[in-house]
Amino acid sequence: MPRPSRGNARWVAFQTLTTIREGAFADLALDRHLQRSGLVGADRRLVTELVYGCVRRQRTLDALIDLLAQRPAAQQPPVLRTVLQLGLYQLRYLEQIPTAAAVAETVQLAKQLGLGGLSGAVNAILRQYLRQSEERDPLPLPSDPIAALAIHQSFPDWLVQLWSDRLGLDEAEFLCHWFNQPPSIDLRINPLRTERSQVQAALEAVGIRSTPDPQLPQALRLIDPPGPIRQLPGFDEGWWMVQDSSAQLIAHLVDPQPGETVLDVCAAPGGKSTHLAELMGDRGQVIACDSSAKRLRKVQENAQRLQLSSITTRAIDGRQIKGIQADRILVDAPCSGLGTLHRHADGRWRQSPDSVAELAQLQSEILDAAAACLKPAGTLVYATCTLHPAENEAVIEQFLQRHPDWQMAPLAADSPFQAWAEANGTLRIWPHRHDRDGFFGARLQRSPARD
Ligand SMILES: C[S@@+](CC[C@H](N)C(=O)[O-])C[C@H]1O[C@@H](n2cnc3c(N)ncnc32)[C@H](O)[C@@H]1O
């Protein structure tokens, strides 16, 4: 059996998990460690699987450590706990790794990390897991159904409770299961530069199959793993940008027309600003604002690469926005991201009922300020990628209470996107039902003046 070296996939996964434990965002930590490691191909994919898998499945893995080790997970030295999580993750979830190799590599990693005598305990715990799994799943589950589902699917109780209240326990489990799968990658094809069929053919030529979304004219879902995105055909030419198909629906809700002034209040990194500009044929003005000047540079980069010239950027806190009168406004608000937990492995552990309440307050303040920038006959779309009603329906309900001269605005009757929206102009995407990111959108307008 080859000995793990410092450039070995499990070693890199361990280092990345340590950085995440110290507070780094999972995706940023992974990018950084992968870059440094020089790993390519299958090794790179293994590190990604191990890191995202251990972060997502942390609660389940810790429940196993509680069962099998002498001390509960929370009282283990952090290095040992991470090594055990890595070993148990491979044994429980990665069928492609032979169990003997998973055990031997994990024990070797423990030795390499200086755990010395404890490597024997690692060996014993992993073998005990294998023995116990021969008869039935050894994962200990409490009788309370919410806690049991939360431990089995590795989510905090409050999230399972929230979704179970909304969907029922069985459907909440589908949703949790969906979020534990690796995310798909969708492209949004730039119709001002190319056609979807042309991009599909160019990808096929480099061995990447894709499938067009029948309901969204610009969306192409990649079937094969694409490798480094920037190296795909058409990147430099601005033929496409990566954007989930749910997010692609939002600019259609805004429904911008050529020549209009469109204000995008929380615009970075520019996924929707660039889409709005494309839908307007790059004619008119998209004012892309964001509180982060650094992130706004991404908007400029994306606009430049997609060869769009109708976008200008402005660094401003959405709560302070004024002095603009726009035909259409998009508030794609900062949110808890609970509809994209498959993309953000650590998202489920970062949010809490308190953080959701804080975000809801911020969202309401941004929405109030943005609404004052809308021309009398204009349309405003409020959108989030969360599934929490406090950040979605409640923000809209409270807005309408504070602004009795506003109302919901249904999509035009002949809009090809009617099927997605509810009669009153609200859009709600449940990931497990629609196989795409979770999203919420609401169209708003001022009520017509009464005589
Ligand atoms: C959901 S992201 C926007 C994604 C973007 N619309 C797109 O499609 O690429 C939310 C954005 O809100 C910005 N943001 C956070 N707080 C803000 C505030 N108080 N005012 C304006 N923007 C804010 C963040 O910097 C972030 O870029």
Side-chain angles (χ1 to χ4, degrees):
M1 176 135 339
R3 284 170 62 85
S5 68
R6 278 170 194 262
N8 170 280
R10 287 168 183 81
W11 171 267
V12 177
F14 173 85
Q15 299 302 336
T16 311
L17 287 167
T18 302
T19 310
I20 296 168
R21 196 182 63 229
E22 287 164 0
F25 284 102
D27 51 351
L28 300 182
L30 181 63
D31 273 357
R32 206 165 59 235
H33 281 280
L34 277 177
Q35 242 171 37
R36 268 193 223 145
S37 73
L39 292 176
V40 292
D43 278 342
R44 222 178 151 88
R45 285 196 291 279
L46 178 58
V47 176
T48 304
E49 169 73 54
L50 291 172
V51 169
Y52 284 159
C54 285
V55 172
R56 281 195 196 105
R57 301 286 191 172
Q58 184 177 304
R59 187 166 183 195
T60 314
L61 298 171
D62 279 351
L64 288 170
I65 296 173
D66 291 349
L67 171 79
L68 300 166
Q70 276 180 357
R71 281 200 269 166
Q75 290 170 25
Q76 296 286 348
V79 173
L80 180 58
R81 181 176 177 183
T82 304
V83 168
L84 287 171
Q85 287 172 342
L86 271 167
L88 288 165
Y89 181 76
Q90 293 169 69
L91 294 181
R92 187 171 176 86
Y93 298 107
L94 295 191
E95 283 170 10
Q96 72 271 27
I97 298 186
T99 53
V103 174
E105 292 274 1
T106 309
V107 170
Q108 198 58 45
L109 178 66
K111 288 184 183 157
Q112 193 185 9
L113 287 163
L115 289 178
L118 286 175
S119 60
V122 171
N123 187 35
I125 289 168
L126 297 183
R127 289 190 184 286
Q128 198 189 340
Y129 173 77
L130 284 174
R131 261 195 314 279
Q132 292 195 15
S133 334
E134 277 167 16
E135 294 193 359
R136 58 175 183 85
D137 184 0
L139 184 67
L141 293 178
S143 57
D144 171 47
I146 298 291
L149 172 50
I151 291 171
H152 188 237
Q153 293 290 347
S154 192
F155 279 82
D157 286 0
W158 70 275
L159 269 182
V160 172
Q161 184 72 60
L162 179 83
W163 291 331
S164 168
D165 289 348
R166 257 323 275 213
L167 302 167
L169 202 62
D170 288 347
E171 206 181 333
E173 176 141 32
F174 283 130
L175 176 61
C176 292
H177 175 76
W178 195 91
F179 277 140
N180 281 333
Q181 311 311 307
S184 49
I185 297 179
D186 295 338
L187 305 185
R188 188 191 78 230
I189 309 308
N190 179 356
L192 307 181
R193 297 284 152 236
T194 184
E195 286 174 10
R196 186 159 69 171
S197 55
Q198 192 183 343
V199 177
Q200 201 178 7
L203 290 170
E204 185 95 39
V206 294
I208 296 165
R209 290 164 303 156
S210 59
T211 176
D213 188 312
Q215 291 157 302
L216 283 161
Q218 292 169 259
L220 194 59
R221 179 158 289 188
L222 304 186
I223 298 171
D224 298 304
I229 289 289
R230 286 164 181 270
Q231 289 170 22
L232 290 181
F235 179 84
D236 290 331
E237 293 80 3
W239 285 0
W240 48 264
M241 103 173 258
V242 172
Q243 187 182 44
D244 187 80
S245 55
S246 288
Q248 296 187 34
L249 271 165
I250 299 301
H252 291 294
L253 269 196
V254 179
D255 194 22
Q257 302 300 313
E260 287 185 334
T261 297
V262 179
L263 171 63
D264 188 354
V265 182
C266 306
K272 296 182 194 71
S273 289
T274 51
H275 194 195
L276 292 164
E278 287 169 6
L279 294 179
M280 293 161 69
D282 207 20
R283 281 175 287 147
Q285 203 190 2
V286 176
I287 307 169
C289 302
D290 202 279
S291 57
S292 162
K294 187 171 167 212
R295 281 170 60 77
L296 273 178
R297 285 205 285 279
K298 287 272 170 215
V299 181
Q300 288 158 350
E301 276 170 28
N302 281 318
Q304 207 166 20
R305 187 176 62 78
L306 296 166
Q307 301 177 48
L308 297 165
S309 54
S310 59
I311 301 174
T312 53
T313 58
R314 198 168 143 192
I316 181 165
D317 189 308
R319 292 168 290 187
Q320 315 294 335
I321 205 152
K322 53 178 177 246
I324 297 170
Q325 282 294 290
D327 299 289
R328 317 236 170 200
I329 297 181
L330 172 61
V331 177
D332 188 24
C335 72
S336 58
L338 299 178
T340 57
L341 292 177
H342 54 319
R343 299 193 187 283
H344 304 289
D346 47 351
R348 68 190 74 180
W349 312 121
R350 287 187 179 276
Q351 297 300 338
S352 67
D354 285 348
S355 67
V356 165
E358 266 176 43
L359 282 162
Q361 177 63 30
L362 173 63
Q363 291 154 353
S364 290
E365 289 174 22
I366 295 177
L367 184 54
D368 280 350
C373 297
L374 190 70
K375 287 184 184 171
T379 305
L380 184 153
V381 169
Y382 172 83
T384 71
C385 62
T386 184
L387 303 174
H388 203 300
E391 299 176 76
N392 295 336
E393 292 86 340
V395 168
I396 298 303
E397 278 160 24
Q398 289 159 17
F399 174 82
L400 291 174
Q401 278 166 15
R402 286 194 304 277
H403 301 268
D405 55 329
W406 282 68
Q407 62 184 21
M408 299 293 295
L411 264 174
D414 60 352
S415 164
F417 303 98
Q418 267 289 351
W420 289 96
E422 291 167 21
N424 68 355
T426 306
L427 169 120
R428 202 175 283 101
I429 307 282
W430 285 101
H432 60 297
R433 290 185 193 162
H434 302 286
D435 196 22
R436 56 194 83 212
D437 288 6
F439 250 92
F440 173 84
R443 300 182 96 233
L444 297 161
Q445 63 188 22
R446 284 202 186 82
S447 311
R450 290 203 197 120
D451 297 330

